[in-house]
Amino acid sequence: MAQVHVSTHPLVQHKLALLRKKDTDSKRFRELVKELAILLAYEATADLEVDPYVVETPLEAAKGFRLKGDIGLVPILRAGLGLVDGVWEMMPSAEVWHIGLFRDERTLRPVEYYNKLPVHPTVDVCLVLDPMLATGGSAIATVDILKRWGANRIKFMGLIAAPEGIKAFTEAHPDVPVYVAAVDDHLNERGYIVPGLGDAGDRQFGTA
Ligand code: PRP
Ligand code: URA
């Protein structure tokens, strides 16, 4: 059964509103995406496994924990790139594997253009990163790729989802939990999330 986690954290909601604003410039937009990535990563990683071990403090031995298993961050190009830095700062030993997909503007179907995954999986948990889950096509295709690769534990982390995308994604991949900051109202006729924030890639990279 798919789990959809919509953050109710006040900091997330505060920053998300700033991100949506049409007069938020590209620099500030990138900063907010990074800050939101850190906050959402906290929620998306809450159930990762840890191994206990002993560390020496200046006074005596103390029980500590370290993350168990290798983590892979999988940003969907381009817009997913903006989420990498924040998550990576929290998990500097994570591997980053890029998947390149763009939406065909006419069909709204994802078109794959970059995938350099090695033959066998190198990580235990994949965290797919993309700010927008609109029709869900790009996220579904990415998880399809990761499952064919052999990944057995996958999570999706984004900023804004449409109800249509949530439905399609959770039907296609009921085993993959979704972590987002908001589920908005609907998709418009061009496949944009409403109210959304516009084009996440263009706003990050200044290409509008
Ligand atoms: C955007 C976004 C997602 C996709 C979401 O990317 O970053 O990858 O659209 O839409 P979907 O759920 O309907 O597939 P876009 O194709 O605009 O490419 P970009 O990131 O290179 O701008
Ligand atoms: N991609 C975006 O960047 N924004 C949307 O609203 C939908 C897809």
Side-chain angles (χ1 to χ4, degrees):
M1 185 61 183
Q3 302 166 55
V4 179
H5 305 261
V6 184
S7 179
T8 55
H9 197 291
L11 285 178
V12 170
Q13 296 310 317
H14 178 94
K15 289 176 190 296
L16 181 65
L18 298 175
L19 190 77
R20 289 181 189 274
K21 280 170 92 165
K22 64 179 179 193
D23 51 1
T24 295
D25 67 17
S26 197
K27 178 172 184 288
R28 184 70 186 123
F29 191 92
R30 290 192 297 274
E31 290 167 357
L32 287 162
V33 169
K34 179 176 175 177
E35 290 163 7
L36 282 161
I38 293 172
L39 293 167
L40 288 172
Y42 178 79
E43 299 187 357
T45 56
D47 62 354
L48 291 186
E49 290 172 29
V50 288
D51 274 329
Y53 75 118
V54 175
V55 292
E56 291 296 331
T57 78
L59 300 183
E60 61 174 44
K63 192 173 170 191
F65 298 93
R66 66 181 139 224
L67 284 174
K68 184 176 179 171
D70 296 317
I71 298 169
L73 309 182
V74 185
I76 304 178
L77 305 177
R78 295 175 299 168
L81 281 177
L83 293 167
V84 172
D85 271 6
V87 184
W88 217 1
E89 272 182 24
M90 300 300 108
M91 291 179 281
S93 62
E95 299 176 14
V96 180
W97 295 103
H98 303 85
I99 299 292
L101 297 175
F102 67 86
R103 275 200 321 181
D104 180 301
E105 279 181 16
R106 198 175 44 83
T107 63
L108 298 183
R109 297 299 306 149
V111 180
E112 185 179 335
Y113 64 88
Y114 185 84
N115 175 355
K116 293 277 187 197
L117 291 172
V119 176
H120 299 294
T122 56
V123 292
D124 301 294
V125 183
C126 290
L127 187 58
V128 177
L129 304 173
D130 192 325
M132 309 306 275
L133 187 75
T135 65
S138 303
I140 291 170
T142 300
V143 174
D144 286 341
I145 291 167
L146 293 175
K147 285 185 175 175
R148 281 199 299 275
W149 188 42
N152 52 28
R153 188 163 182 210
I154 304 171
K155 292 162 172 262
F156 176 88
M157 192 185 104
L159 298 180
I160 303 181
E164 296 89 333
I166 292 281
K167 181 169 186 295
F169 185 84
T170 54
E171 282 174 8
H173 295 297
D175 54 324
V176 177
V178 173
Y179 298 83
V180 289
V183 178
D184 274 6
D185 194 63
H186 67 280
L187 289 179
N188 70 12
E189 62 294 344
R190 292 177 52 224
Y192 277 84
I193 300 174
V194 181
L197 50 70
D199 189 303
D202 281 346
R203 291 195 67 182
Q204 282 183 76
F205 294 105
T207 51

